């Protein structure tokens, strides 16, 4: 296997890790409006991801940096062609981070409610837009002979991509609901399981439609296996959720995300960005990659740094592993003197 193939796999792993971790992160943010009934319950939801949300976003930074270094042509075409949606995602992530930190800086109810609304929308929009982006990457876009995107932003809003956006939105919400059930106690835990059941059914319908469409267009035998695993894991997650096996439900919803991302990257390879104008103008792992020397240096750096990052993040999740409920929220936290 050539180094550019290795880095294609590594970038796929980074995106998989990001969607697995930030997926429930976004889902919990969405649930602050769909599940929480009062300020104390919104505080509980925010506290479930409070220690980890910023660490989850490191995976996005690493995936973007790895793409820039390993496949500069891919990075250039992607970020120029998808400039507006990616800018919107970036703005959402910035506002979302500010909202987490600023919400509790003042005790006024209007102040906190406005920041909670910001958390909801800046979780929902990226959850949808990431699916739109990857739907376009896998389905192909208008790339000319100079490897430049020549379409418009409206070309990105095609049916396949929009369906992909619905898949990530519903799947992340389901992932967040089972995570909430896993991390909370009391009535909010019961309602999270109930909501996960209905969201999971909707997710299964739209995910099956999108994955079958993708498989029919660009899939092969390997991607078909990943598709089957994704669907089976989602059904199993629904069953586990119905039985109250929250740990299994969360693990299986995570497997669904992993298999879905794997299916998309398997459908994409050896392309990294197919052209709908002419297949000869598609960006591939060969014509979009950096020099072998650059990839070799990157491989050594990744081999040293990645285990350290994984150990630290695993330790963070272990430290904050206990369940919480409204009884664990002090009065001063509800009114906003803590964050």
């Amino acid at each position: 296997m050539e180094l550019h193939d290795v880095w294609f796999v590594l970038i796929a792993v980074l995106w998989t890790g990001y969607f697995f971790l930030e997926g429930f992160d976004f889902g919990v943010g969405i649930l602050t409006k769909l599940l929480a009934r009062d300020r104390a319950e919104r505080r509980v939801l925010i506290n479930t991801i409070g220690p980890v949300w910023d660490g989850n976003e490191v995976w996005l930074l690493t995936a973007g940096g790895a793409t820039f270094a390993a496949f500069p042509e891919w990075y250039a075409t992607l970020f120029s062609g998808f400039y507006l949606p990616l800018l919107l995602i970036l703005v959402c992530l910035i506002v979302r981070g500010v909202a987490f930190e600023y919400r509790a800086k003042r005790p006024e109810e209007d102040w906190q409610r406005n920041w909670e609304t910001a958390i909801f929308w800046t979780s929902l929009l990226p959850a949808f837009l990431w699916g739109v982006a990857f739907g376009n990457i896998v389905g192909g876009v208008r790339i000319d002979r100079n490897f430049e995107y020549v379409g418009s932003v409206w070309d990105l809003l095609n049916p396949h991509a929009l369906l992909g956006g619905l898949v990530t939105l519903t799947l992340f919400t389901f992932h967040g609901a089972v995570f909430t059930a896993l991390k909370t106690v009391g009535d909010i835990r019961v309602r999270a399981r109930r909501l996960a059941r209905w969201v999971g059914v909707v997710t299964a319908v739209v995910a099956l439609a999108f994955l079958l469409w993708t498989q029919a267009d660009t899939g092969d035998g390997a991607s078909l296996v990943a598709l089957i695993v994704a669907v089976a894991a989602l059904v199993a997650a629904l069953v586990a959720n119905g039985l109250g096996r929250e740990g299994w439900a969360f693990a299986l919803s995570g497997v669904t995300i992993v298999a879905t991302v794997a299916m998309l990257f398997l459908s994409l390879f050896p392309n990294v960005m197919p052209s709908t104008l002419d297949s000869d103008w598609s960006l591939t792992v060969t014509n979009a990659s950096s020099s072998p020397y650059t990839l070799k240096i990157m491989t050594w750096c990744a081999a040293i740094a990645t285990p350290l990052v994984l150990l630290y993040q695993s330790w963070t999740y272990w430290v904050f592993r206990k369940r919480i409920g409204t009884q664990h929220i002090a009065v001063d936290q509800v009114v906003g003197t803590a964050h």
Side-chain angles (χ1 to χ4, degrees), residues 4-15:
H4 50 66
D5 297 329
V6 171
W7 273 97
F8 179 85
V9 174
L10 291 177
I11 288 172
V13 170
L14 291 171
W15 280 110

Side-chain angles (χ1 to χ4, degrees), residues 152-206:
S152 68
V153 68
W154 304 112
D155 292 325
L156 303 178
L157 303 179
N158 57 78
H160 180 260
L162 292 174
L163 184 59
L166 290 178
V167 171
T168 50
L169 176 59
T170 55
L171 181 54
F172 291 170
T173 305
F174 174 70
H175 197 41
V178 295
F179 176 79
T180 299
L182 178 65
K183 286 287 292 179
T184 58
V185 295
D187 182 59
I188 193 171
R189 175 186 177 187
V190 176
R191 285 188 282 114
R193 286 207 306 264
R194 189 182 305 129
L195 180 62
R197 180 171 68 247
W198 295 110
V199 175
V201 170
V202 176
T203 303
V205 174
V206 294

Side-chain angles (χ1 to χ4, degrees), residues 107-166:
E108 292 87 352
E109 185 174 353
D110 287 346
W111 171 272
Q112 295 189 6
R113 185 170 57 248
N114 289 337
W115 284 118
E116 288 162 0
T117 300
I119 290 172
F120 169 75
W121 285 109
T122 55
S123 298
L124 185 148
L125 287 174
F128 175 73
L129 290 174
W130 280 126
V132 174
F134 272 84
N136 278 291
I137 291 173
V138 175
V141 291
R142 295 170 59 85
I143 298 175
D144 66 11
R145 65 175 67 250
N146 297 316
F147 302 136
E148 295 180 359
Y149 178 71
V150 293
S152 68
V153 68
W154 304 112
D155 292 325
L156 303 178
L157 303 179
N158 57 78
H160 180 260
L162 292 174
L163 184 59
L166 290 178

Side-chain angles (χ1 to χ4, degrees), residues 21-337:
L21 297 173
E22 193 86 304
F24 72 75
D25 197 323
F26 286 144
V28 171
I30 294 169
L31 294 179
T32 58
K33 291 292 185 183
L34 301 183
L35 182 65
R37 291 177 173 173
D38 53 35
R39 298 172 71 187
E41 289 191 350
R42 286 192 291 274
R43 182 71 257 173
V44 169
L45 290 175
I46 292 172
N47 277 7
T48 62
I49 58 174
V52 299
W53 68 266
D54 48 356
N56 294 344
E57 292 185 356
V58 171
W59 287 77
L60 172 62
L61 299 176
T62 308
T67 303
F68 172 77
F71 299 100
E73 288 281 0
W74 184 13
Y75 182 93
T77 303
L78 177 64
F79 279 78
S80 60
F82 293 23
Y83 179 80
L84 286 178
L86 291 178
L87 177 63
L88 182 56
I89 290 174
L90 178 60
V91 171
C92 284
L93 294 180
I94 293 172
V95 174
R96 188 168 183 265
V98 173
F100 280 126
E101 297 298 329
Y102 275 42
R103 176 201 172 275
K105 296 300 184 183
R106 290 171 55 179
E108 292 87 352
E109 185 174 353
D110 287 346
W111 171 272
Q112 295 189 6
R113 185 170 57 248
N114 289 337
W115 284 118
E116 288 162 0
T117 300
I119 290 172
F120 169 75
W121 285 109
T122 55
S123 298
L124 185 148
L125 287 174
F128 175 73
L129 290 174
W130 280 126
V132 174
F134 272 84
N136 278 291
I137 291 173
V138 175
V141 291
R142 295 170 59 85
I143 298 175
D144 66 11
R145 65 175 67 250
N146 297 316
F147 302 136
E148 295 180 359
Y149 178 71
V150 293
S152 68
V153 68
W154 304 112
D155 292 325
L156 303 178
L157 303 179
N158 57 78
H160 180 260
L162 292 174
L163 184 59
L166 290 178
V167 171
T168 50
L169 176 59
T170 55
L171 181 54
F172 291 170
T173 305
F174 174 70
H175 197 41
V178 295
F179 176 79
T180 299
L182 178 65
K183 286 287 292 179
T184 58
V185 295
D187 182 59
I188 193 171
R189 175 186 177 187
V190 176
R191 285 188 282 114
R193 286 207 306 264
R194 189 182 305 129
L195 180 62
R197 180 171 68 247
W198 295 110
V199 175
V201 170
V202 176
T203 303
V205 174
V206 294
L208 183 61
F210 175 74
L211 294 178
L212 287 175
W213 188 346
T214 304
Q215 176 67 25
D217 282 350
T218 60
D220 57 15
S223 63
L224 179 60
V225 172
L227 185 157
I228 294 171
V229 171
V231 174
L234 181 55
V235 172
L238 281 167
V239 173
N241 177 73
L243 295 174
R245 303 298 298 271
E246 292 144 351
W248 279 105
F250 178 70
L252 288 164
S253 69
V255 172
T256 303
I257 292 176
V258 171
T260 299
V261 178
M263 189 266 181
L264 295 179
F265 275 90
L266 288 168
S267 299
L268 189 60
F269 186 81
N271 294 320
V272 294
M273 212 164 175
S275 172
T276 57
L277 299 179
D278 190 324
S279 59
D280 290 336
W281 299 344
S282 297
L283 288 167
T284 68
V285 293
T286 304
N287 63 26
S289 69
S290 294
S291 67
Y293 180 75
T294 300
L295 296 177
K296 185 176 181 179
I297 296 298
M298 290 175 60
T299 303
W300 279 107
C301 293
I304 295 171
T306 301
L308 298 177
V309 174
L310 292 176
L311 284 173
Y312 170 76
Q313 194 160 27
S314 299
W315 175 78
T316 302
Y317 277 93
W318 175 256
V319 169
F320 296 101
R321 68 190 181 277
K322 292 184 178 180
R323 295 177 182 267
I324 60 173
T326 53
Q327 67 269 31
H328 300 115
I329 305 298
V331 174
D332 61 348
Q333 285 185 293
V334 176
V335 298
T337 59

